[in-house]
Coordinates of all heavy atoms in Angstrom, one line a residue:
M1 N -13.7 16.4 15.9 CA -13.1 16.6 14.7 C -13.9 15.9 13.6 O -14.2 14.7 13.7 CB -11.7 16.0 14.6 CG -11.0 15.9 13.3 SD -9.5 15.1 13.3 CE -8.4 16.4 13.0
A2 N -14.3 16.6 12.5 CA -15.0 16.0 11.3 C -14.1 15.2 10.4 O -12.9 15.8 10.2 CB -15.7 17.2 10.6
L3 N -14.6 14.2 10.0 CA -13.8 13.3 9.1 C -14.6 13.2 7.8 O -15.8 12.9 7.8 CB -13.5 11.9 9.6 CG -12.6 11.8 10.9 CD1 -12.7 10.5 11.3 CD2 -11.3 12.3 10.6
Y4 N -13.9 13.3 6.6 CA -14.5 13.1 5.3 C -13.5 12.5 4.3 O -12.3 13.0 4.3 CB -15.0 14.4 4.8 CG -15.6 14.3 3.4 CD1 -16.9 13.9 3.2 CD2 -14.8 14.5 2.3 CE1 -17.3 13.8 1.9 CE2 -15.3 14.5 1.0 CZ -16.6 14.1 0.8 OH -17.1 13.9 -0.4
A5 N -13.9 11.5 3.7 CA -13.0 11.0 2.7 C -13.8 10.3 1.5 O -14.7 9.5 1.9 CB -12.0 10.0 3.3
R6 N -13.4 10.4 0.3 CA -14.0 9.6 -0.8 C -13.0 8.5 -1.0 O -11.7 8.7 -1.2 CB -14.2 10.5 -2.0 CG -15.2 11.6 -1.9 CD -15.3 12.4 -3.1 NE -13.9 12.7 -3.6 CZ -13.4 13.9 -4.0 NH1 -14.2 14.9 -3.7 NH2 -12.2 14.0 -4.4
I7 N -13.5 7.3 -1.1 CA -12.7 6.1 -1.3 C -13.1 5.5 -2.7 O -14.1 5.3 -3.0 CB -12.9 5.1 -0.1 CG1 -12.8 5.8 1.2 CG2 -11.9 3.8 -0.3 CD1 -13.4 5.0 2.3
E8 N -12.0 5.2 -3.4 CA -12.2 4.6 -4.7 C -11.2 3.5 -5.0 O -10.0 3.5 -4.8 CB -12.0 5.7 -5.8 CG -12.1 5.2 -7.2 CD -12.0 6.3 -8.2 OE1 -11.7 7.4 -7.8 OE2 -12.2 6.1 -9.4
K9 N -11.8 2.3 -5.4 CA -10.9 1.1 -5.8 C -10.1 1.5 -7.1 O -10.7 2.0 -8.1 CB -11.7 -0.1 -6.1 CG -10.9 -1.3 -6.5 CD -11.7 -2.6 -6.5 CE -13.0 -2.6 -6.9 NZ -13.6 -4.0 -7.0
I10 N -8.8 1.3 -7.1 CA -8.0 1.6 -8.3 C -7.3 0.4 -8.9 O -6.9 0.5 -10.0 CB -7.0 2.7 -7.9 CG1 -6.0 2.3 -6.8 CG2 -7.7 4.1 -7.8 CD1 -4.9 3.4 -6.5
E11 N -7.3 -0.7 -8.1 CA -6.6 -1.9 -8.6 C -7.1 -3.1 -7.8 O -7.3 -3.0 -6.6 CB -5.2 -1.8 -8.5 CG -4.3 -2.9 -9.0 CD -2.8 -2.7 -8.8 OE1 -2.4 -1.7 -8.3 OE2 -2.1 -3.7 -9.1
E12 N -7.4 -4.3 -8.4 CA -7.8 -5.4 -7.8 C -7.2 -6.7 -8.5 O -7.3 -6.7 -9.7 CB -9.2 -5.6 -7.6 CG -9.7 -6.8 -6.9 CD -11.2 -6.8 -6.5 OE1 -12.0 -6.0 -7.2 OE2 -11.7 -7.6 -5.7
D13 N -6.7 -7.6 -7.7 CA -6.4 -8.9 -8.3 C -7.0 -10.0 -7.3 O -7.6 -9.6 -6.4 CB -4.9 -9.1 -8.6 CG -4.0 -9.0 -7.4 OD1 -4.4 -9.2 -6.3 OD2 -2.8 -8.6 -7.6
E14 N -6.6 -11.2 -7.4 CA -7.1 -12.3 -6.6 C -6.5 -12.2 -5.2 O -7.2 -12.8 -4.3 CB -6.8 -13.7 -7.2 CG -5.3 -14.0 -7.3 CD -4.7 -13.3 -8.7 OE1 -5.4 -12.9 -9.5 OE2 -3.5 -13.4 -8.7
R15 N -5.4 -11.5 -4.9 CA -4.9 -11.5 -3.5 C -5.1 -10.1 -2.9 O -5.1 -10.0 -1.7 CB -3.5 -11.9 -3.6 CG -3.3 -13.3 -3.9 CD -1.7 -13.6 -4.0 NE -1.1 -12.7 -4.9 CZ 0.1 -12.3 -4.7 NH1 0.8 -12.6 -3.7 NH2 0.7 -11.5 -5.6
K16 N -5.2 -9.0 -3.6 CA -5.2 -7.6 -3.0 C -6.1 -6.7 -3.8 O -6.5 -6.9 -4.9 CB -3.8 -7.1 -2.8 CG -3.2 -6.9 -4.2 CD -1.7 -6.3 -4.1 CE -1.1 -6.0 -5.4 NZ -0.8 -7.0 -6.2
V17 N -6.4 -5.6 -3.0 CA -7.2 -4.5 -3.6 C -6.5 -3.2 -3.1 O -6.2 -3.0 -1.9 CB -8.6 -4.6 -3.1 CG1 -9.5 -3.4 -3.8 CG2 -9.3 -5.8 -3.3
R18 N -6.3 -2.3 -4.1 CA -5.6 -1.0 -3.8 C -6.7 0.1 -3.8 O -7.5 0.0 -4.9 CB -4.5 -0.7 -4.7 CG -3.9 0.6 -4.4 CD -2.5 0.7 -5.2 NE -1.5 0.0 -4.5 CZ -1.0 -1.1 -5.0 NH1 -1.3 -1.5 -6.2 NH2 0.0 -1.8 -4.3
Y19 N -6.8 0.8 -2.8 CA -7.8 2.0 -2.8 C -7.1 3.3 -2.7 O -6.0 3.4 -2.0 CB -8.7 1.9 -1.6 CG -9.8 0.8 -1.7 CD1 -9.6 -0.5 -1.1 CD2 -11.0 1.2 -2.4 CE1 -10.6 -1.4 -1.4 CE2 -12.0 0.2 -2.5 CZ -11.7 -1.1 -2.0 OH -12.7 -2.0 -2.0
R20 N -7.7 4.3 -3.3 CA -7.2 5.7 -3.2 C -8.2 6.4 -2.5 O -9.5 6.2 -2.7 CB -7.0 6.3 -4.5 CG -6.7 7.8 -4.4 CD -6.6 8.5 -5.9 NE -7.5 8.0 -6.9 CZ -7.1 7.6 -8.1 NH1 -5.8 7.5 -8.4 NH2 -8.1 7.1 -8.9
Y21 N -7.9 7.2 -1.5 CA -8.8 8.1 -0.7 C -8.4 9.5 -0.7 O -7.2 9.8 -0.7 CB -9.2 7.5 0.6 CG -8.1 7.5 1.6 CD1 -8.0 8.3 2.7 CD2 -7.3 6.4 1.6 CE1 -7.1 8.2 3.6 CE2 -6.3 6.2 2.5 CZ -6.1 7.3 3.6 OH -5.2 7.2 4.5
T22 N -9.4 10.4 -0.8 CA -9.1 11.8 -0.9 C -9.8 12.5 0.3 O -11.0 12.3 0.6 CB -9.7 12.4 -2.3 OG1 -9.2 11.6 -3.3 CG2 -9.4 13.8 -2.5
D23 N -9.0 13.4 0.9 CA -9.5 14.1 2.1 C -10.1 15.4 1.7 O -10.2 15.7 0.5 CB -8.4 14.3 3.1 CG -7.3 15.0 2.7 OD1 -7.5 15.9 1.8 OD2 -6.3 15.0 3.3
M24 N -10.7 16.2 2.7 CA -11.4 17.4 2.4 C -10.5 18.4 1.7 O -11.0 19.2 0.9 CB -11.9 18.0 3.7 CG -13.0 17.3 4.3 SD -13.9 18.1 5.6 CE -12.7 17.9 6.9
S25 N -9.1 18.4 1.9 CA -8.4 19.4 1.2 C -7.9 18.9 -0.1 O -7.2 19.6 -0.8 CB -7.2 19.6 2.1 OG -6.3 18.5 2.2
G26 N -8.3 17.7 -0.6 CA -7.9 17.2 -1.8 C -6.7 16.4 -1.9 O -6.3 15.9 -3.0
G27 N -6.2 16.1 -0.7 CA -4.9 15.3 -0.6 C -5.3 13.8 -0.9 O -6.3 13.3 -0.4
E28 N -4.5 13.1 -1.6 CA -4.8 11.7 -1.9 C -3.7 10.8 -1.2 O -2.6 11.1 -1.0 CB -4.6 11.5 -3.4 CG -5.7 12.1 -4.2 CD -5.7 11.7 -5.6 OE1 -4.7 11.1 -6.1 OE2 -6.6 12.1 -6.3
R29 N -4.3 9.7 -0.7 CA -3.4 8.6 -0.1 C -4.0 7.3 -0.6 O -5.0 7.2 -1.2 CB -3.6 8.6 1.5 CG -3.2 10.0 2.1 CD -3.3 9.8 3.5 NE -3.7 10.9 4.2 CZ -4.0 11.0 5.5 NH1 -4.0 9.9 6.2 NH2 -4.4 12.1 6.0
T30 N -3.2 6.2 -0.4 CA -3.5 4.9 -0.8 C -3.4 3.8 0.3 O -2.7 4.1 1.3 CB -2.8 4.4 -2.0 OG1 -1.3 4.4 -1.7 CG2 -3.0 5.2 -3.3
L31 N -4.3 2.9 0.3 CA -4.2 1.8 1.2 C -4.5 0.5 0.5 O -5.0 0.4 -0.7 CB -5.1 2.0 2.4 CG -6.6 2.0 2.2 CD1 -7.2 0.6 2.0 CD2 -7.3 2.5 3.4
L32 N -4.0 -0.6 1.1 CA -4.0 -1.9 0.4 C -4.8 -2.8 1.4 O -4.5 -2.9 2.6 CB -2.6 -2.4 0.2 CG -2.4 -3.6 -0.5 CD1 -2.8 -3.4 -1.9 CD2 -1.0 -4.2 -0.4
L33 N -5.8 -3.5 0.8 CA -6.6 -4.6 1.5 C -6.0 -5.9 1.0 O -5.9 -6.2 -0.2 CB -8.0 -4.4 1.1 CG -8.9 -5.8 1.5 CD1 -9.0 -6.0 2.9 CD2 -10.2 -5.7 0.8
D34 N -5.4 -6.7 1.9 CA -4.9 -8.0 1.6 C -6.1 -9.0 1.9 O -6.5 -9.1 3.0 CB -3.8 -8.4 2.5 CG -3.1 -9.7 2.2 OD1 -3.9 -10.7 2.1 OD2 -1.8 -9.8 2.1
K35 N -6.6 -9.6 0.8 CA -7.8 -10.5 0.9 C -7.5 -11.8 1.7 O -8.4 -12.3 2.4 CB -8.3 -10.8 -0.5 CG -8.8 -9.8 -1.3 CD -9.1 -10.3 -2.7 CE -9.7 -9.2 -3.6 NZ -10.0 -9.7 -5.0
E36 N -6.2 -12.3 1.6 CA -5.9 -13.5 2.2 C -5.9 -13.4 3.6 O -6.4 -14.3 4.4 CB -4.7 -14.1 1.6 CG -4.8 -14.5 0.1 CD -3.4 -14.9 -0.5 OE1 -2.4 -14.6 0.1 OE2 -3.5 -15.4 -1.6
S37 N -5.2 -12.5 4.1 CA -4.9 -12.1 5.6 C -6.2 -11.3 6.2 O -6.2 -11.1 7.4 CB -3.6 -11.6 5.9 OG -3.6 -10.3 5.4
E38 N -6.9 -10.7 5.3 CA -8.1 -9.8 5.7 C -7.4 -8.6 6.6 O -8.0 -8.4 7.7 CB -9.2 -10.5 6.3 CG -9.9 -11.4 5.4 CD -11.1 -12.1 6.0 OE1 -11.1 -12.3 7.2 OE2 -12.1 -12.3 5.2
T39 N -6.4 -8.1 6.0 CA -5.8 -6.9 6.8 C -5.7 -5.7 5.8 O -5.8 -5.9 4.5 CB -4.3 -7.2 7.2 OG1 -3.6 -7.6 6.1 CG2 -4.3 -8.3 8.3
V40 N -5.7 -4.5 6.4 CA -5.6 -3.2 5.6 C -4.4 -2.5 6.1 O -4.1 -2.5 7.3 CB -6.9 -2.4 5.8 CG1 -6.8 -1.1 5.1 CG2 -8.1 -3.2 5.5
S41 N -3.5 -2.1 5.2 CA -2.4 -1.3 5.6 C -2.2 0.0 4.7 O -2.8 0.1 3.5 CB -1.2 -2.2 5.4 OG -1.1 -2.6 4.0
S42 N -1.7 1.1 5.3 CA -1.4 2.3 4.6 C -0.2 2.1 3.7 O 0.9 1.6 4.2 CB -1.0 3.3 5.7 OG -0.6 4.5 5.1
E43 N -0.3 2.6 2.5 CA 0.8 2.4 1.6 C 1.9 3.6 1.9 O 3.0 3.6 1.5 CB 0.5 2.4 0.2 CG -0.2 1.1 -0.2 CD -0.3 0.8 -1.6 OE1 -0.9 1.6 -2.4 OE2 0.2 -0.3 -2.0
G44 N 1.3 4.7 2.4 CA 2.2 5.9 2.6 C 2.7 6.0 4.1 O 3.5 6.9 4.4
G45 N 2.4 5.0 4.9 CA 2.9 5.0 6.3 C 2.1 6.0 7.2 O 2.4 5.9 8.4
V46 N 1.1 6.8 6.8 CA 0.5 7.6 7.6 C -0.7 6.8 8.2 O -1.5 6.3 7.5 CB -0.1 8.9 6.8 CG1 -0.9 9.8 7.8 CG2 1.1 9.7 6.3
E47 N -0.8 6.7 9.5 CA -1.9 6.0 10.1 C -2.6 6.9 11.1 O -2.6 6.6 12.4 CB -1.5 4.7 10.7 CG -0.9 3.8 9.6 CD -0.5 2.4 10.3 OE1 -0.7 2.1 11.5 OE2 -0.1 1.6 9.5
D48 N -3.2 7.9 10.7 CA -3.9 8.9 11.6 C -5.4 8.5 11.6 O -5.8 7.5 11.2 CB -3.7 10.3 11.0 CG -4.2 10.6 9.5 OD1 -4.8 9.5 9.0 OD2 -4.1 11.6 9.0
M49 N -6.1 9.4 12.3 CA -7.6 9.1 12.5 C -8.3 8.9 11.2 O -9.2 8.1 11.0 CB -8.4 10.3 13.2 CG -7.9 10.3 14.7 SD -8.7 11.7 15.6 CE -10.4 11.3 15.4
L50 N -8.1 9.7 10.1 CA -8.7 9.5 8.8 C -8.4 8.1 8.3 O -9.2 7.4 7.8 CB -8.3 10.7 7.9 CG -9.0 10.6 6.5 CD1 -10.5 10.6 6.7 CD2 -8.5 11.7 5.6
Y51 N -7.0 7.8 8.2 CA -6.7 6.4 7.8 C -7.5 5.4 8.5 O -8.1 4.4 7.9 CB -5.2 6.2 8.0 CG -4.9 4.7 7.9 CD1 -4.8 4.0 6.6 CD2 -4.5 4.1 9.0 CE1 -4.6 2.7 6.5 CE2 -4.4 2.6 9.0 CZ -4.3 2.0 7.7 OH -4.1 0.6 7.8
R52 N -7.6 5.4 9.8 CA -8.2 4.4 10.6 C -9.7 4.3 10.2 O -10.3 3.2 10.1 CB -8.1 4.7 12.0 CG -6.7 4.3 12.5 CD -6.5 4.3 14.1 NE -6.6 5.6 14.7 CZ -5.7 6.5 14.8 NH1 -4.4 6.3 14.3 NH2 -5.9 7.7 15.3
A53 N -10.3 5.5 10.0 CA -11.8 5.5 9.5 C -11.9 4.8 8.2 O -12.9 4.1 7.9 CB -12.3 6.9 9.6
V54 N -11.0 5.2 7.3 CA -11.1 4.6 5.9 C -10.8 3.1 6.0 O -11.6 2.4 5.4 CB -10.2 5.4 5.0 CG1 -10.0 4.6 3.7 CG2 -10.5 6.8 4.7
A55 N -9.9 2.7 6.8 CA -9.6 1.3 6.8 C -10.6 0.4 7.4 O -11.0 -0.5 6.9 CB -8.2 1.2 7.7
R56 N -11.3 1.1 8.4 CA -12.4 0.4 9.0 C -13.6 0.3 8.0 O -14.2 -0.8 7.9 CB -12.9 1.2 10.2 CG -14.0 0.5 11.0 CD -14.4 1.3 12.3 NE -13.3 1.9 13.0 CZ -13.0 3.2 13.1 NH1 -13.8 4.1 12.6 NH2 -11.9 3.5 13.8
K57 N -13.8 1.3 7.2 CA -14.9 1.3 6.3 C -14.7 0.2 5.2 O -15.6 -0.6 4.9 CB -15.1 2.6 5.6 CG -16.2 2.8 4.7 CD -17.5 3.1 5.6 CE -18.6 3.8 4.8 NZ -19.6 4.3 5.6
V58 N -13.5 0.1 4.7 CA -13.1 -0.9 3.7 C -13.1 -2.3 4.3 O -13.7 -3.2 3.7 CB -11.7 -0.6 3.1 CG1 -11.1 -1.7 2.3 CG2 -11.6 0.7 2.4
A59 N -12.6 -2.4 5.5 CA -12.6 -3.8 6.1 C -14.0 -4.3 6.4 O -14.3 -5.5 6.2 CB -11.7 -3.8 7.4
V60 N -14.9 -3.4 7.0 CA -16.2 -3.9 7.3 C -17.0 -4.2 6.1 O -17.7 -5.2 5.9 CB -17.0 -2.8 8.0 CG1 -18.5 -3.0 8.0 CG2 -16.4 -2.6 9.5
A61 N -16.8 -3.5 5.0 CA -17.5 -3.8 3.6 C -16.9 -5.2 3.1 O -17.8 -6.0 2.6 CB -17.3 -2.7 2.6
W62 N -15.7 -5.5 3.2 CA -15.1 -6.7 2.8 C -15.7 -7.9 3.6 O -16.1 -8.9 3.0 CB -13.6 -6.6 2.8 CG -12.9 -7.9 2.6 CD1 -12.4 -8.8 3.5 CD2 -12.8 -8.6 1.3 NE1 -11.9 -9.9 2.9 CE2 -12.2 -9.9 1.6 CE3 -13.3 -8.3 0.1 CZ2 -11.9 -10.7 0.6 CZ3 -13.0 -9.3 -0.9 CH2 -12.3 -10.4 -0.7
V63 N -15.6 -7.8 4.9 CA -16.1 -8.9 5.8 C -17.5 -9.0 5.6 O -18.0 -10.2 5.5 CB -15.7 -8.5 7.3 CG1 -16.3 -9.6 8.1 CG2 -14.1 -8.6 7.4
R64 N -18.3 -8.0 5.5 CA -19.8 -8.1 5.5 C -20.3 -8.7 4.2 O -21.0 -9.6 4.1 CB -20.4 -6.8 5.7 CG -21.9 -6.7 5.7 CD -22.5 -5.4 5.7 NE -22.1 -4.7 4.5 CZ -21.7 -3.4 4.5 NH1 -21.6 -2.7 5.7 NH2 -21.2 -2.8 3.4
D65 N -19.6 -8.2 3.0 CA -20.2 -8.5 1.7 C -19.3 -9.5 1.0 O -19.9 -10.2 0.0 CB -20.4 -7.3 0.8 CG -21.2 -6.2 1.5 OD1 -22.2 -6.7 2.3 OD2 -20.9 -5.0 1.3
G66 N -18.0 -9.7 1.4 CA -17.1 -10.6 0.7 C -16.7 -10.1 -0.7 O -16.1 -10.8 -1.5
I67 N -17.0 -8.9 -0.9 CA -16.6 -8.2 -2.3 C -15.8 -6.9 -1.8 O -16.2 -6.3 -0.9 CB -17.7 -8.0 -3.2 CG1 -18.8 -7.0 -2.6 CG2 -18.2 -9.4 -3.7 CD1 -19.7 -6.6 -3.7
A68 N -15.0 -6.5 -2.8 CA -14.3 -5.2 -2.5 C -15.1 -4.1 -3.3 O -15.2 -4.1 -4.5 CB -12.9 -5.2 -3.1
P69 N -15.8 -3.2 -2.6 CA -16.7 -2.2 -3.3 C -15.8 -1.3 -4.1 O -14.7 -1.0 -3.9 CB -17.4 -1.5 -2.1 CG -16.6 -1.9 -0.8 CD -15.9 -3.1 -1.1
E70 N -16.4 -0.8 -5.1 CA -15.9 0.2 -6.1 C -15.6 1.5 -5.5 O -14.6 2.2 -5.6 CB -16.7 0.4 -7.3 CG -16.8 -0.8 -8.2 CD -15.6 -1.3 -8.8 OE1 -14.8 -0.4 -9.3 OE2 -15.3 -2.5 -9.0
K71 N -16.6 2.0 -4.7 CA -16.6 3.4 -4.1 C -17.2 3.3 -2.6 O -18.2 2.6 -2.4 CB -17.2 4.4 -4.9 CG -16.5 4.6 -6.2 CD -17.2 5.7 -7.0 CE -16.6 5.9 -8.3 NZ -16.9 7.1 -9.1
L72 N -16.5 4.1 -1.8 CA -17.2 4.3 -0.4 C -17.0 5.6 0.0 O -16.2 6.5 -0.6 CB -16.4 3.3 0.5 CG -16.6 1.8 0.4 CD1 -15.5 1.1 1.2 CD2 -18.0 1.3 0.8
L73 N -17.6 6.1 1.1 CA -17.5 7.4 1.6 C -17.5 7.4 3.1 O -18.2 6.6 3.8 CB -18.8 8.2 1.2 CG -18.8 9.6 1.6 CD1 -17.7 10.5 0.8 CD2 -20.2 10.2 1.2
V74 N -16.6 8.1 3.7 CA -16.5 8.3 5.2 C -17.0 9.7 5.5 O -16.4 10.6 4.9 CB -15.0 8.1 5.7 CG1 -14.9 8.6 7.1 CG2 -14.6 6.6 5.6
Q75 N -17.9 9.8 6.4 CA -18.4 11.1 6.8 C -18.7 11.0 8.4 O -19.4 10.0 8.7 CB -19.7 11.5 6.1 CG -19.5 12.1 4.8 CD -20.9 12.6 4.2 OE1 -21.6 11.7 3.8 NE2 -21.0 13.8 4.1
S76 N -18.2 12.0 9.2 CA -18.6 11.9 10.5 C -18.6 13.3 11.0 O -17.9 14.3 10.5 CB -17.7 11.1 11.4 OG -16.4 11.7 11.4

């Protein structure tokens, strides 16, 4: 199964970062990165393969760089 998502930071404060991601069909979802606990959660409750790929991409960037990137891309 091919995965594709454009990920964009839409809000950030000292404790959390909110991201919007768009899939191939144009559907939008959001997820939340909690900086303090270093966890990522789905705001819509959908935790499918695409969500897991997006969450992993955001988490890896956060842990590796210590900053919340403005934009990311998932392609497989």
Side-chain angles (χ1 to χ4, degrees):
M1 168 186 248
L3 295 175
Y4 175 83
R6 292 180 319 235
I7 309 162
E8 179 181 6
K9 180 170 38 173
I10 55 176
E11 179 183 359
E12 181 175 14
D13 63 27
E14 60 280 344
R15 294 180 303 144
K16 66 182 183 296
V17 185
R18 180 168 283 113
Y19 283 95
R20 171 180 42 233
Y21 61 102
T22 307
D23 61 23
M24 286 189 290
S25 67
E28 291 186 352
R29 302 187 213 170
T30 57
L31 62 79
L32 189 66
L33 165 66
D34 184 314
K35 294 177 181 180
E36 294 172 346
S37 65
E38 295 187 326
T39 58
V40 179
S41 58
S42 171
E43 292 197 306
V46 177
E47 295 188 1
D48 58 6
M49 286 179 63
L50 181 59
Y51 161 76
R52 288 189 293 275
V54 169
R56 185 177 318 113
K57 189 80 158 191
V58 168
V60 166
W62 170 254
V63 170
R64 180 189 62 222
D65 303 329
I67 60 167
E70 294 293 323
K71 295 184 181 189
L72 295 164
L73 184 64
V74 168
Q75 281 184 287
S76 70

